[in-house]
Amino acid sequence: MKNALMLIAFAVFVGHPGRITAQSASPAGMRDATVTVGGVEIPFRMEFSGAGSAVKGSFFNGDEKITSTTGAFQNGSLTLSFDEYGTSLDATLKDGVLDGQYARGTRGAPYPFHAKRFVAAQTSESSVPAIAGLWNIQTKSSKGESAWHLIVRQSGAEVSAAILRVDGDTGTLTGAYRDGRFVLGHFSGARPLRLELTPSADGTLAVTQNKEAPMTAIRAEQAKAKGLPEPTDPSRFTSVKDPTEPFRFSFPTLDGKLVSNTDPQFRGKVVIVDIAGSWCPNCHDETPFLVDLYKTYHSRGLEIVALSFEEAAQLKNPTRLRAFIKHYGIQYTVLVPGEPREASDKLPQTVNMNSFPTTFFLGRDGRVRSAHAGFPGKASGSFHDEAKREITHTIEQLLAEPAQTSSR
């Protein structure tokens, strides 16, 4: 009898055929995951918790968690929804491994998904190059940029990084050093990216995004000393043709009500006009800050209007945008002008309107006083803090100005 009990216990412990261990029967815990995008495997981490109809899955963006709205796990099948992204994850658990797909809703084809139990990274490297700090990536972007910021944090062989462009950052990429290079990945339900950083003998970094041709990163202070192009100033990227004219908009709400800049609610107010979209990861980074600004300054005369440009399928049935509004607790006005490709045509006063988000700051007379392209998320570190300080300062300055007759 004693030997029989020992055999049963041993079978449960090792996963004897015909028996399933508690661990292998549940997705719960931290997992090393990948999605495959354009033939490239993007590595990232996910955390699962709960069971049955209470199961949850969380992506990570640095210290931030992006947790599923609803979920279910039954008979080895896992389903999670991320309503504010309009996406879902469906996978099957077998032998402790999850395989399935991440469905992107109206954003395109699904990504193949794979996840195994997390194993702490091991490195046998005796000497790991020190790459922490701010770098300048020389590039020629489709938006006319000549350089991007590369922000790197490091603890031994472990690194985290972000690339900051004029429209915002990549999110926090994480990874480690092995075989002469740092391999990092990011996927938080959006903006999948694999990044390889290879130190060179001359002190530069070869920067490879997915399968693209390598770019060169130079330490920021060295790039400046050499007179190399610097990253674009987001406060000088987008503007309006005639700043003496009031900024005009007239678009419907989700309920079909037409709202215009000439409406009484905006008269004599300081107005933030945010060009955004619920599909846009950097807009997800920016929105909590706008929500806080509205709560803090609305009683003092601040209005915020989000012009949410959505793809055609969402315009017909804007479930993702409604979930986006609910998720972030948006109380300010949200209008739906059209599709992203129509932004410049729908806003003919703008110049270089090709970044999502882009934020215009209107004085009490309805005229544009400044603009800011993109938004640096928390992954951008000090750039994130600086942007929030500058925008807050702009709002306080505009609110301090005396009310005057509106030109709207």
Side-chain angles (χ1 to χ4, degrees):
M1 180 68 178
K2 182 178 179 181
N3 289 339
L5 290 173
M6 289 177 66
L7 284 172
I8 292 172
F10 180 74
V12 171
F13 177 76
V14 301
H16 188 278
R19 297 183 182 274
I20 301 176
T21 66
Q23 186 182 46
S24 65
S26 169
M30 191 72 73
R31 289 182 175 266
D32 288 318
T34 62
V35 289
T36 303
V37 182
V40 178
E41 282 196 351
I42 313 293
F44 62 99
R45 295 228 177 105
M46 275 197 84
E47 184 179 46
F48 298 89
S49 62
S53 60
V55 73
K56 293 182 178 180
S58 297
F59 296 111
F60 292 93
N61 181 21
D63 294 333
E64 296 179 85
K65 271 188 177 183
I66 297 90
T67 300
S68 55
T69 312
T70 60
F73 180 71
Q74 187 174 14
N75 299 326
S77 294
L78 173 70
T79 300
L80 301 172
S81 68
F82 298 83
D83 291 355
E84 71 272 26
Y85 284 126
T87 59
S88 61
L89 174 63
D90 292 283
T92 300
L93 182 65
K94 183 178 180 181
D95 298 329
V97 176
L98 284 166
D99 280 298
Q101 66 177 18
Y102 182 75
R104 301 165 60 219
T106 57
R107 294 295 293 164
Y111 298 148
F113 171 85
H114 175 82
K116 58 186 179 181
R117 294 216 167 268
F118 166 72
V119 177
Q122 301 290 328
T123 180
S124 59
E125 306 286 349
S126 58
S127 179
V128 178
I131 65 167
L134 180 63
W135 299 75
N136 174 313
I137 300 176
Q138 294 292 289
T139 187
K140 293 294 181 184
S141 82
S142 60
K143 296 182 186 298
E145 301 159 277
S146 297
W148 295 330
H149 293 293
L150 170 64
I151 305 138
V152 182
R153 304 170 186 86
Q154 182 175 7
S155 177
E158 301 287 325
V159 291
S160 65
I163 295 174
L164 176 59
R165 307 170 302 255
V166 72
D167 57 357
D169 62 53
T170 56
T172 301
L173 297 122
T174 57
Y177 185 71
R178 61 177 180 270
D179 300 327
R181 60 183 177 169
F182 295 88
V183 179
L184 305 89
H186 172 89
F187 186 63
S188 55
R191 51 186 167 193
L193 178 63
R194 178 188 174 94
L195 187 71
E196 295 183 8
L197 304 175
T198 306
S200 302
D202 62 359
T204 63
L205 291 175
V207 180
T208 304
Q209 297 185 97
N210 298 333
K211 289 183 177 179
E212 297 175 10
M215 299 177 288
T216 299
I218 305 166
R219 288 200 177 272
E221 64 274 14
Q222 295 175 3
K224 188 171 185 179
K226 292 180 179 181
L228 295 175
E230 296 191 7
T232 301
D233 183 345
S235 68
R236 301 188 176 197
F237 185 73
T238 305
S239 59
V240 289
K241 295 172 183 175
D242 186 352
T244 67
E245 292 185 357
F247 189 82
R248 293 180 289 273
F249 58 85
S250 185
F251 302 113
T253 65
L254 282 169
D255 297 325
K257 177 186 175 184
L258 197 65
V259 174
S260 304
N261 60 293
T262 53
D263 290 350
Q265 77 177 92
F266 305 117
R267 193 168 298 141
K269 302 291 183 66
V270 171
V271 181
I272 293 176
V273 180
D274 185 50
I275 317 303
S278 61
W279 53 270
C280 157
N282 300 115
C283 303
H284 283 258
D285 289 341
E286 180 193 44
T287 299
F289 174 54
L290 294 180
V291 168
D292 287 345
L293 283 178
Y294 188 77
K295 289 178 180 178
T296 302
Y297 295 105
H298 178 60
S299 63
R300 291 173 53 183
L302 174 68
E303 290 289 346
I304 299 179
V305 181
L307 305 184
S308 196
F309 287 84
E310 307 290 338
E311 61 267 45
Q314 279 293 314
L315 293 176
K316 292 179 181 177
N317 184 22
T319 54
R320 185 187 61 218
L321 178 55
R322 292 184 188 279
F324 178 90
I325 293 169
K326 179 181 178 181
H327 178 79
Y328 291 110
I330 296 174
Q331 297 178 336
Y332 49 80
T333 302
V334 177
L335 307 181
V336 190
E339 297 181 50
R341 59 184 175 82
E342 298 177 307
S344 292
D345 292 336
K346 297 276 187 172
L347 301 168
Q349 292 173 278
T350 64
V351 177
N352 223 22
M353 178 57 246
N354 60 13
S355 295
F356 285 84
T358 290
T359 311
F360 293 95
F361 303 92
L362 281 53
R364 293 184 185 274
D365 59 359
R367 298 186 177 98
V368 173
R369 302 291 289 277
S370 66
H372 192 283
F375 185 79
K378 291 181 179 179
S380 295
S382 62
F383 293 99
H384 172 74
D385 298 333
E386 181 182 357
K388 290 174 64 177
R389 282 195 301 269
E390 289 181 354
I391 291 171
T392 301
H393 179 65
T394 296
I395 295 303
E396 290 182 342
Q397 280 189 315
L398 293 175
L399 288 171
E401 294 179 355
Q404 49 190 291
T405 303
S406 173
S407 301
R408 293 184 173 91

